[in-house]
Amino acid sequence: MGCITSKNAVSIRPTLDNNNSSNQRGLDLSKVNVGNSGRRRSGKEFERDCEFDDSWRRGPEVNGTKDLCLPLSNIHNYIEAEQVAAGWPSWISSVAAEAIQGLVPLQASEYKKMEMIGQGTYSEVFKTVHHDTGKMFAMKKVRFDSNEPESVKFMAREIQVLRRLNHPNVIGLEGVIVSQYVKTIYLVFEYMDHDIAGLISRHKFSEPQVKCYMRQLLSGLEHCHSKSVMHRDIKCANLLVNDSGCLKIADFGLARYYSSAQKQPLTSRVVTLWYRPPELILGSTNYEESVDLWSVGCVFAELFLRKPILDGRTEIEQLHRIFKLCGSPPEDYWKNIKMPNASVFKSRCHHEGNLKKICKDLPNYAVNLIEKLLSVNSKKRGTASDALHSLYFITKPYEANPSSLPKYPPTKEMDAQILNRAAQLLSDQRAAEEANSQAKDIYTKKPPHGCINFSGPLQIPSSSGFEWAKKTRESNAFIRPSYENSYYPLARNTVANSEDQHRNGSPRNKQLFLNREEPFGEKHAAFIQKMQSRRHADSFHNFDNGLKKKTDVNGVTNGMSSNSSDYHGDEESKVDFSGPLLCQTHEVNELLENHEQRIGKAMRKLLFKR
Ligand SMILES: Nc1ncnc2c1ncn2[C@@H]1O[C@H](COP(=O)(O)OP(=O)(O)OP(=O)(O)O)[C@@H](O)[C@H]1O
């Protein structure tokens, strides 16, 4: 795509018809995009020209038309003037001229902003109502920094991509609102009552219902791919459903055009970790639309299982889970791929794959399709059209009619998150109370010489044969949790599933350390042994390093406590847990007070967010 300002000269081609006053989404284009001949061009016409035929930027036309070749600054000024005349503030014209070309901005005063209904990495989504029509819309406030070219690029691309798509299973962009002075942009969408992540957290879908959603998802995706758009962030939270049972693919913030003819290197830092295909984890930069089909496979399984099928906390763990589920790829795979991280991630263990076992209760044809979509070899995934023609869709039970699906009270990923957070806070509070009473108990029996604040990677010499545990108990040090160093990847909150939370580490592990009787008993020893054997069995050298990383909502791993200072001595003789190990000599009361304060703070945060 590129920015208009990066070209040296442009050719403005005169246009011939005057008919296009609105595009398919009903946007009024009549006031804009008047060529120098006075002829108007529709937004879509302009986009088409811009996206794959960039000759308009290159210079004089060859087809006999006498074009006017202007210096870049002139044409830039011309376009800006045209867009300002259409009602756009000049700040947006200067950073995203191509994205808004042919559009007229919507007026904020025509809408009433209501409650926040969603929050993403770069956005906040509000429910809004149009004053005149009373129609509901979703208004996505996109955060971006105009001095930061990447953020501008993504914002502009989202608009461009959305304008290119027009399908019942793809969210429709109604228009764009911009603030005249503050650099804020709102994308106005049709309003959808639910997202699949929120629905899954509360309801079990019937087989015909799953089939109905899957057909809609694949149809929407087929349309995107037919328009050369890769979504690159298919996940349950980005699949919206309205009260008529219609599913729409949303959030095109990471989407982009692709062309198999003109391949360009693409970033591999896309797709939320749990839905990210192996080639992206391995760092591929020449992937194709099959990345979306992998994500569809993950969503498909999740619709049945009601929990993510691949929920690694780090890239290395995710890849490990992929191979365990889908089977390790053959040697050829490693030989043929030229991916930057291949040698780092290659496992010495061979896994047969346990997808069939995990999906044993699912219908056969569904498992076959999931298996195909979750092919480690991207070439074997097929296309969205292939999936739509698979046996799964022509065997009984047939898909439900969208209008026959149950009507649900509004549910969003955000609701699921709030429920999760509240549950977590409650369990943390209970655990804290328990810990406090245990701490007091210990204190009254024998005052401690020091206490251990257990919240981080605890380095335990494995050679001690758990003698350390006994020693700690004898020395009456007590262990306290840290609620600030929670180990959850944010994305984890999308699933209100206590089992998941436990598997993810924190509550169960915290509880393990909070419970004065349990931690140093058999369970604890088993846990440590498991950690150690996992480390050896996996032969993933970075596994433990990986465990100390935190994954953000988009699955991007951030280094956390992974600096060398966290390690002391021989790597193999240590067992790591999350968070720093602190030896303190505070008074118990002071610690308990701090503890109370932290819980209070977390509670206030939660209430404030609500
Ligand atoms: N048209 C809509 N109608 C109703 N709710 C919506 C709509 N669009 C988005 N939402 C809600 O807002 C949430 C966040 O929106 P979106 O995914 O577009 O933002 P984002 O910043 O790109 O998110 P992320 O970082 O998770 O990818 C969605 O999960 C959904 O619950």
PDB file of all heavy atoms in Angstrom, residues 117-123 125 138 140 171 189-192 195 233 235 237-238 240 251 412-413 553-554, ligand 1:
ATOM      1  N   ILE A 117     -18.644  -1.362  25.321  1.00  0.00           N
ATOM      2  CA  ILE A 117     -19.039  -2.768  25.165  1.00  0.00           C
ATOM      3  C   ILE A 117     -17.856  -3.664  24.817  1.00  0.00           C
ATOM      4  O   ILE A 117     -17.995  -4.877  24.747  1.00  0.00           O
ATOM      5  CB  ILE A 117     -20.134  -2.927  24.085  1.00  0.00           C
ATOM      6  CG1 ILE A 117     -19.728  -2.183  22.797  1.00  0.00           C
ATOM      7  CG2 ILE A 117     -21.475  -2.456  24.602  1.00  0.00           C
ATOM      8  CD1 ILE A 117     -20.645  -2.460  21.631  1.00  0.00           C
ATOM      9  N   GLY A 118     -16.728  -3.072  24.589  1.00  0.00           N
ATOM     10  CA  GLY A 118     -15.576  -3.903  24.249  1.00  0.00           C
ATOM     11  C   GLY A 118     -14.304  -3.100  24.368  1.00  0.00           C
ATOM     12  O   GLY A 118     -14.309  -1.872  24.285  1.00  0.00           O
ATOM     13  N   GLN A 119     -13.252  -3.818  24.586  1.00  0.00           N
ATOM     14  CA  GLN A 119     -11.971  -3.153  24.699  1.00  0.00           C
ATOM     15  C   GLN A 119     -10.921  -4.042  24.053  1.00  0.00           C
ATOM     16  O   GLN A 119     -10.859  -5.239  24.363  1.00  0.00           O
ATOM     17  CB  GLN A 119     -11.630  -2.952  26.172  1.00  0.00           C
ATOM     18  CG  GLN A 119     -10.580  -1.901  26.381  1.00  0.00           C
ATOM     19  CD  GLN A 119     -10.470  -1.510  27.842  1.00  0.00           C
ATOM     20  OE1 GLN A 119     -10.906  -2.246  28.719  1.00  0.00           O
ATOM     21  NE2 GLN A 119      -9.873  -0.378  28.114  1.00  0.00           N
ATOM     22  N   GLY A 120     -10.174  -3.489  23.149  1.00  0.00           N
ATOM     23  CA  GLY A 120      -9.127  -4.271  22.502  1.00  0.00           C
ATOM     24  C   GLY A 120      -7.782  -3.654  22.811  1.00  0.00           C
ATOM     25  O   GLY A 120      -7.671  -2.741  23.628  1.00  0.00           O
ATOM     26  N   THR A 121      -6.769  -4.167  22.150  1.00  0.00           N
ATOM     27  CA  THR A 121      -5.412  -3.674  22.388  1.00  0.00           C
ATOM     28  C   THR A 121      -5.299  -2.214  21.974  1.00  0.00           C
ATOM     29  O   THR A 121      -4.639  -1.418  22.621  1.00  0.00           O
ATOM     30  CB  THR A 121      -4.413  -4.502  21.552  1.00  0.00           C
ATOM     31  OG1 THR A 121      -4.862  -5.849  21.516  1.00  0.00           O
ATOM     32  CG2 THR A 121      -3.023  -4.433  22.104  1.00  0.00           C
ATOM     33  N   TYR A 122      -5.930  -1.885  20.861  1.00  0.00           N
ATOM     34  CA  TYR A 122      -5.783  -0.526  20.348  1.00  0.00           C
ATOM     35  C   TYR A 122      -7.092   0.244  20.338  1.00  0.00           C
ATOM     36  O   TYR A 122      -7.198   1.269  19.688  1.00  0.00           O
ATOM     37  CB  TYR A 122      -5.235  -0.574  18.915  1.00  0.00           C
ATOM     38  CG  TYR A 122      -3.961  -1.356  18.810  1.00  0.00           C
ATOM     39  CD1 TYR A 122      -3.945  -2.625  18.265  1.00  0.00           C
ATOM     40  CD2 TYR A 122      -2.773  -0.830  19.306  1.00  0.00           C
ATOM     41  CE1 TYR A 122      -2.777  -3.359  18.201  1.00  0.00           C
ATOM     42  CE2 TYR A 122      -1.602  -1.553  19.242  1.00  0.00           C
ATOM     43  CZ  TYR A 122      -1.608  -2.815  18.689  1.00  0.00           C
ATOM     44  OH  TYR A 122      -0.445  -3.543  18.635  1.00  0.00           O
ATOM     45  N   SER A 123      -8.090  -0.280  21.006  1.00  0.00           N
ATOM     46  CA  SER A 123      -9.383   0.380  20.842  1.00  0.00           C
ATOM     47  C   SER A 123     -10.301   0.226  22.040  1.00  0.00           C
ATOM     48  O   SER A 123     -10.084  -0.622  22.902  1.00  0.00           O
ATOM     49  CB  SER A 123     -10.077  -0.234  19.634  1.00  0.00           C
ATOM     50  OG  SER A 123     -10.410  -1.564  19.932  1.00  0.00           O
ATOM     51  N   VAL A 125     -14.605   0.083  22.402  1.00  0.00           N
ATOM     52  CA  VAL A 125     -15.805   0.036  21.570  1.00  0.00           C
ATOM     53  C   VAL A 125     -17.011   0.448  22.414  1.00  0.00           C
ATOM     54  O   VAL A 125     -17.200  -0.052  23.525  1.00  0.00           O
ATOM     55  CB  VAL A 125     -15.999  -1.371  20.962  1.00  0.00           C
ATOM     56  CG1 VAL A 125     -17.210  -1.394  20.036  1.00  0.00           C
ATOM     57  CG2 VAL A 125     -14.757  -1.801  20.198  1.00  0.00           C
ATOM     58  N   ALA A 138     -22.090   0.335  16.751  1.00  0.00           N
ATOM     59  CA  ALA A 138     -20.923   0.165  17.627  1.00  0.00           C
ATOM     60  C   ALA A 138     -19.884   1.149  17.128  1.00  0.00           C
ATOM     61  O   ALA A 138     -19.616   1.234  15.930  1.00  0.00           O
ATOM     62  CB  ALA A 138     -20.391  -1.248  17.541  1.00  0.00           C
ATOM     63  N   LYS A 140     -16.086   2.284  17.341  1.00  0.00           N
ATOM     64  CA  LYS A 140     -14.766   1.821  17.790  1.00  0.00           C
ATOM     65  C   LYS A 140     -13.801   2.993  17.784  1.00  0.00           C
ATOM     66  O   LYS A 140     -13.480   3.535  16.725  1.00  0.00           O
ATOM     67  CB  LYS A 140     -14.287   0.703  16.855  1.00  0.00           C
ATOM     68  CG  LYS A 140     -12.929   0.142  17.180  1.00  0.00           C
ATOM     69  CD  LYS A 140     -12.686  -1.119  16.368  1.00  0.00           C
ATOM     70  CE  LYS A 140     -11.245  -1.564  16.429  1.00  0.00           C
ATOM     71  NZ  LYS A 140     -11.012  -2.804  15.702  1.00  0.00           N
ATOM     72  N   ILE A 171     -18.328  -7.822   8.985  1.00  0.00           N
ATOM     73  CA  ILE A 171     -18.888  -6.632   9.620  1.00  0.00           C
ATOM     74  C   ILE A 171     -18.882  -5.449   8.641  1.00  0.00           C
ATOM     75  O   ILE A 171     -17.932  -5.265   7.881  1.00  0.00           O
ATOM     76  CB  ILE A 171     -18.113  -6.289  10.923  1.00  0.00           C
ATOM     77  CG1 ILE A 171     -18.882  -5.314  11.791  1.00  0.00           C
ATOM     78  CG2 ILE A 171     -16.723  -5.762  10.644  1.00  0.00           C
ATOM     79  CD1 ILE A 171     -20.017  -5.902  12.532  1.00  0.00           C
ATOM     80  N   PHE A 189     -19.726   0.977  13.181  1.00  0.00           N
ATOM     81  CA  PHE A 189     -20.118  -0.314  12.630  1.00  0.00           C
ATOM     82  C   PHE A 189     -21.574  -0.608  12.946  1.00  0.00           C
ATOM     83  O   PHE A 189     -22.124  -0.085  13.918  1.00  0.00           O
ATOM     84  CB  PHE A 189     -19.303  -1.443  13.271  1.00  0.00           C
ATOM     85  CG  PHE A 189     -17.843  -1.397  12.961  1.00  0.00           C
ATOM     86  CD1 PHE A 189     -16.933  -0.853  13.858  1.00  0.00           C
ATOM     87  CD2 PHE A 189     -17.362  -1.918  11.772  1.00  0.00           C
ATOM     88  CE1 PHE A 189     -15.580  -0.820  13.583  1.00  0.00           C
ATOM     89  CE2 PHE A 189     -16.006  -1.888  11.487  1.00  0.00           C
ATOM     90  CZ  PHE A 189     -15.118  -1.336  12.390  1.00  0.00           C
ATOM     91  N   GLU A 190     -22.145  -1.520  12.192  1.00  0.00           N
ATOM     92  CA  GLU A 190     -23.455  -2.046  12.576  1.00  0.00           C
ATOM     93  C   GLU A 190     -23.286  -2.695  13.955  1.00  0.00           C
ATOM     94  O   GLU A 190     -22.212  -3.226  14.270  1.00  0.00           O
ATOM     95  CB  GLU A 190     -23.944  -3.066  11.549  1.00  0.00           C
ATOM     96  CG  GLU A 190     -22.973  -4.212  11.309  1.00  0.00           C
ATOM     97  CD  GLU A 190     -23.334  -5.079  10.120  1.00  0.00           C
ATOM     98  OE1 GLU A 190     -24.452  -5.593  10.100  1.00  0.00           O
ATOM     99  OE2 GLU A 190     -22.489  -5.243   9.228  1.00  0.00           O
ATOM    100  N   TYR A 191     -24.326  -2.643  14.762  1.00  0.00           N
ATOM    101  CA  TYR A 191     -24.210  -3.152  16.128  1.00  0.00           C
ATOM    102  C   TYR A 191     -24.483  -4.651  16.174  1.00  0.00           C
ATOM    103  O   TYR A 191     -25.431  -5.147  15.566  1.00  0.00           O
ATOM    104  CB  TYR A 191     -25.178  -2.425  17.064  1.00  0.00           C
ATOM    105  CG  TYR A 191     -25.109  -2.968  18.462  1.00  0.00           C
ATOM    106  CD1 TYR A 191     -24.024  -2.672  19.279  1.00  0.00           C
ATOM    107  CD2 TYR A 191     -26.097  -3.814  18.953  1.00  0.00           C
ATOM    108  CE1 TYR A 191     -23.927  -3.194  20.555  1.00  0.00           C
ATOM    109  CE2 TYR A 191     -26.012  -4.344  20.236  1.00  0.00           C
ATOM    110  CZ  TYR A 191     -24.919  -4.029  21.026  1.00  0.00           C
ATOM    111  OH  TYR A 191     -24.821  -4.558  22.290  1.00  0.00           O
ATOM    112  N   MET A 192     -23.653  -5.368  16.887  1.00  0.00           N
ATOM    113  CA  MET A 192     -23.839  -6.816  17.050  1.00  0.00           C
ATOM    114  C   MET A 192     -23.993  -7.110  18.542  1.00  0.00           C
ATOM    115  O   MET A 192     -23.265  -6.558  19.365  1.00  0.00           O
ATOM    116  CB  MET A 192     -22.623  -7.563  16.495  1.00  0.00           C
ATOM    117  CG  MET A 192     -22.307  -7.251  15.050  1.00  0.00           C
ATOM    118  SD  MET A 192     -23.530  -7.863  13.878  1.00  0.00           S
ATOM    119  CE  MET A 192     -23.204  -9.597  13.881  1.00  0.00           C
ATOM    120  N   ASP A 195     -20.476 -11.687  21.038  1.00  0.00           N
ATOM    121  CA  ASP A 195     -19.357 -12.269  20.304  1.00  0.00           C
ATOM    122  C   ASP A 195     -19.238 -13.721  20.745  1.00  0.00           C
ATOM    123  O   ASP A 195     -19.711 -14.104  21.816  1.00  0.00           O
ATOM    124  CB  ASP A 195     -18.055 -11.469  20.454  1.00  0.00           C
ATOM    125  CG  ASP A 195     -17.567 -11.349  21.871  1.00  0.00           C
ATOM    126  OD1 ASP A 195     -17.522 -12.375  22.561  1.00  0.00           O
ATOM    127  OD2 ASP A 195     -17.237 -10.223  22.296  1.00  0.00           O
ATOM    128  N   ASP A 233      -6.325 -12.330  12.290  1.00  0.00           N
ATOM    129  CA  ASP A 233      -6.644 -12.339  13.720  1.00  0.00           C
ATOM    130  C   ASP A 233      -8.003 -12.995  13.961  1.00  0.00           C
ATOM    131  O   ASP A 233      -8.827 -12.494  14.725  1.00  0.00           O
ATOM    132  CB  ASP A 233      -6.616 -10.917  14.301  1.00  0.00           C
ATOM    133  CG  ASP A 233      -6.489 -10.925  15.820  1.00  0.00           C
ATOM    134  OD1 ASP A 233      -6.143 -11.990  16.385  1.00  0.00           O
ATOM    135  OD2 ASP A 233      -6.740  -9.880  16.451  1.00  0.00           O
ATOM    136  N   LYS A 235     -10.390 -15.162  15.715  1.00  0.00           N
ATOM    137  CA  LYS A 235     -10.503 -15.776  17.048  1.00  0.00           C
ATOM    138  C   LYS A 235     -11.949 -15.555  17.502  1.00  0.00           C
ATOM    139  O   LYS A 235     -12.683 -14.740  16.909  1.00  0.00           O
ATOM    140  CB  LYS A 235      -9.521 -15.145  18.032  1.00  0.00           C
ATOM    141  CG  LYS A 235      -9.687 -13.653  18.220  1.00  0.00           C
ATOM    142  CD  LYS A 235      -8.719 -13.124  19.262  1.00  0.00           C
ATOM    143  CE  LYS A 235      -8.800 -11.610  19.364  1.00  0.00           C
ATOM    144  NZ  LYS A 235      -7.908 -11.053  20.352  1.00  0.00           N
ATOM    145  N   ALA A 237     -13.329 -13.991  19.909  1.00  0.00           N
ATOM    146  CA  ALA A 237     -13.739 -12.641  20.303  1.00  0.00           C
ATOM    147  C   ALA A 237     -13.964 -11.736  19.097  1.00  0.00           C
ATOM    148  O   ALA A 237     -14.603 -10.693  19.209  1.00  0.00           O
ATOM    149  CB  ALA A 237     -12.684 -12.027  21.219  1.00  0.00           C
ATOM    150  N   ASN A 238     -13.436 -12.119  17.950  1.00  0.00           N
ATOM    151  CA  ASN A 238     -13.613 -11.294  16.755  1.00  0.00           C
ATOM    152  C   ASN A 238     -14.732 -11.803  15.854  1.00  0.00           C
ATOM    153  O   ASN A 238     -14.878 -11.339  14.725  1.00  0.00           O
ATOM    154  CB  ASN A 238     -12.297 -11.206  15.968  1.00  0.00           C
ATOM    155  CG  ASN A 238     -11.291 -10.321  16.681  1.00  0.00           C
ATOM    156  OD1 ASN A 238     -11.674  -9.501  17.515  1.00  0.00           O
ATOM    157  ND2 ASN A 238     -10.012 -10.482  16.378  1.00  0.00           N
ATOM    158  N   LEU A 240     -18.570 -11.841  15.671  1.00  0.00           N
ATOM    159  CA  LEU A 240     -19.735 -11.221  16.307  1.00  0.00           C
ATOM    160  C   LEU A 240     -21.023 -11.870  15.802  1.00  0.00           C
ATOM    161  O   LEU A 240     -21.085 -12.323  14.660  1.00  0.00           O
ATOM    162  CB  LEU A 240     -19.740  -9.719  16.011  1.00  0.00           C
ATOM    163  CG  LEU A 240     -18.445  -8.966  16.352  1.00  0.00           C
ATOM    164  CD1 LEU A 240     -18.598  -7.486  16.046  1.00  0.00           C
ATOM    165  CD2 LEU A 240     -18.057  -9.160  17.807  1.00  0.00           C
ATOM    166  N   ASP A 251     -13.059  -6.959  13.378  1.00  0.00           N
ATOM    167  CA  ASP A 251     -11.696  -6.582  13.741  1.00  0.00           C
ATOM    168  C   ASP A 251     -10.676  -6.862  12.634  1.00  0.00           C
ATOM    169  O   ASP A 251      -9.936  -7.849  12.673  1.00  0.00           O
ATOM    170  CB  ASP A 251     -11.279  -7.263  15.045  1.00  0.00           C
ATOM    171  CG  ASP A 251      -9.971  -6.672  15.564  1.00  0.00           C
ATOM    172  OD1 ASP A 251      -9.459  -5.720  14.930  1.00  0.00           O
ATOM    173  OD2 ASP A 251      -9.460  -7.145  16.587  1.00  0.00           O
ATOM    174  N   LYS A 412     -20.683 -10.474  25.772  1.00  0.00           N
ATOM    175  CA  LYS A 412     -19.491 -10.065  25.051  1.00  0.00           C
ATOM    176  C   LYS A 412     -18.285 -10.685  25.725  1.00  0.00           C
ATOM    177  O   LYS A 412     -18.339 -11.076  26.894  1.00  0.00           O
ATOM    178  CB  LYS A 412     -19.339  -8.543  25.095  1.00  0.00           C
ATOM    179  CG  LYS A 412     -20.338  -7.807  24.225  1.00  0.00           C
ATOM    180  CD  LYS A 412     -19.811  -7.722  22.812  1.00  0.00           C
ATOM    181  CE  LYS A 412     -20.865  -7.428  21.780  1.00  0.00           C
ATOM    182  NZ  LYS A 412     -21.638  -6.264  22.019  1.00  0.00           N
ATOM    183  N   GLU A 413     -17.201 -10.692  24.994  1.00  0.00           N
ATOM    184  CA  GLU A 413     -15.945 -11.171  25.572  1.00  0.00           C
ATOM    185  C   GLU A 413     -15.672 -10.406  26.864  1.00  0.00           C
ATOM    186  O   GLU A 413     -15.224 -10.949  27.857  1.00  0.00           O
ATOM    187  CB  GLU A 413     -14.815 -10.931  24.581  1.00  0.00           C
ATOM    188  CG  GLU A 413     -13.485 -11.435  25.070  1.00  0.00           C
ATOM    189  CD  GLU A 413     -12.317 -10.737  24.408  1.00  0.00           C
ATOM    190  OE1 GLU A 413     -12.531  -9.681  23.785  1.00  0.00           O
ATOM    191  OE2 GLU A 413     -11.197 -11.238  24.543  1.00  0.00           O
ATOM    192  N   VAL A 553      -2.368  -9.602  24.968  1.00  0.00           N
ATOM    193  CA  VAL A 553      -3.646  -9.994  24.393  1.00  0.00           C
ATOM    194  C   VAL A 553      -3.535 -10.496  22.960  1.00  0.00           C
ATOM    195  O   VAL A 553      -4.288 -11.318  22.514  1.00  0.00           O
ATOM    196  CB  VAL A 553      -4.658  -8.837  24.527  1.00  0.00           C
ATOM    197  CG1 VAL A 553      -4.489  -7.822  23.414  1.00  0.00           C
ATOM    198  CG2 VAL A 553      -6.064  -9.340  24.603  1.00  0.00           C
ATOM    199  N   ASN A 554      -2.517 -10.017  22.260  1.00  0.00           N
ATOM    200  CA  ASN A 554      -2.360 -10.486  20.894  1.00  0.00           C
ATOM    201  C   ASN A 554      -1.360 -11.618  20.808  1.00  0.00           C
ATOM    202  O   ASN A 554      -0.901 -11.981  19.753  1.00  0.00           O
ATOM    203  CB  ASN A 554      -1.930  -9.342  19.976  1.00  0.00           C
ATOM    204  CG  ASN A 554      -3.145  -8.645  19.438  1.00  0.00           C
ATOM    205  OD1 ASN A 554      -4.162  -9.280  19.178  1.00  0.00           O
ATOM    206  ND2 ASN A 554      -3.055  -7.353  19.292  1.00  0.00           N
TER     207      ASN A 554
HETATM  208  N1  LIG B   1     -19.829  -4.012  15.668  1.00  0.00           N
HETATM  209  C1  LIG B   1     -19.756  -4.365  16.927  1.00  0.00           C
HETATM  210  N2  LIG B   1     -20.867  -4.571  17.648  1.00  0.00           N
HETATM  211  C2  LIG B   1     -20.801  -4.931  18.938  1.00  0.00           C
HETATM  212  N3  LIG B   1     -19.659  -5.140  19.603  1.00  0.00           N
HETATM  213  C3  LIG B   1     -18.503  -4.960  18.958  1.00  0.00           C
HETATM  214  C4  LIG B   1     -18.477  -4.551  17.591  1.00  0.00           C
HETATM  215  N4  LIG B   1     -17.194  -4.462  17.202  1.00  0.00           N
HETATM  216  C5  LIG B   1     -16.447  -4.792  18.275  1.00  0.00           C
HETATM  217  N5  LIG B   1     -17.209  -5.094  19.333  1.00  0.00           N
HETATM  218  C6  LIG B   1     -16.773  -5.533  20.661  1.00  0.00           C
HETATM  219  O1  LIG B   1     -15.547  -4.908  20.993  1.00  0.00           O
HETATM  220  C7  LIG B   1     -14.507  -5.866  21.177  1.00  0.00           C
HETATM  221  C8  LIG B   1     -13.199  -5.291  20.669  1.00  0.00           C
HETATM  222  O2  LIG B   1     -13.342  -4.925  19.315  1.00  0.00           O
HETATM  223  P1  LIG B   1     -12.192  -5.186  18.248  1.00  0.00           P
HETATM  224  O3  LIG B   1     -11.844  -6.635  18.308  1.00  0.00           O
HETATM  225  O4  LIG B   1     -12.632  -4.685  16.939  1.00  0.00           O
HETATM  226  O5  LIG B   1     -11.015  -4.287  18.864  1.00  0.00           O
HETATM  227  P2  LIG B   1      -9.436  -4.520  18.869  1.00  0.00           P
HETATM  228  O6  LIG B   1      -8.788  -3.391  19.550  1.00  0.00           O
HETATM  229  O7  LIG B   1      -8.963  -4.754  17.491  1.00  0.00           O
HETATM  230  O8  LIG B   1      -9.375  -5.854  19.719  1.00  0.00           O
HETATM  231  P3  LIG B   1      -8.200  -6.925  19.899  1.00  0.00           P
HETATM  232  O9  LIG B   1      -7.039  -6.228  20.431  1.00  0.00           O
HETATM  233  O10 LIG B   1      -8.800  -7.911  20.893  1.00  0.00           O
HETATM  234  O11 LIG B   1      -7.976  -7.575  18.585  1.00  0.00           O
HETATM  235  C9  LIG B   1     -14.999  -7.132  20.454  1.00  0.00           C
HETATM  236  O12 LIG B   1     -14.479  -8.324  21.013  1.00  0.00           O
HETATM  237  C10 LIG B   1     -16.514  -7.032  20.621  1.00  0.00           C
HETATM  238  O13 LIG B   1     -16.910  -7.604  21.837  1.00  0.00           O
END
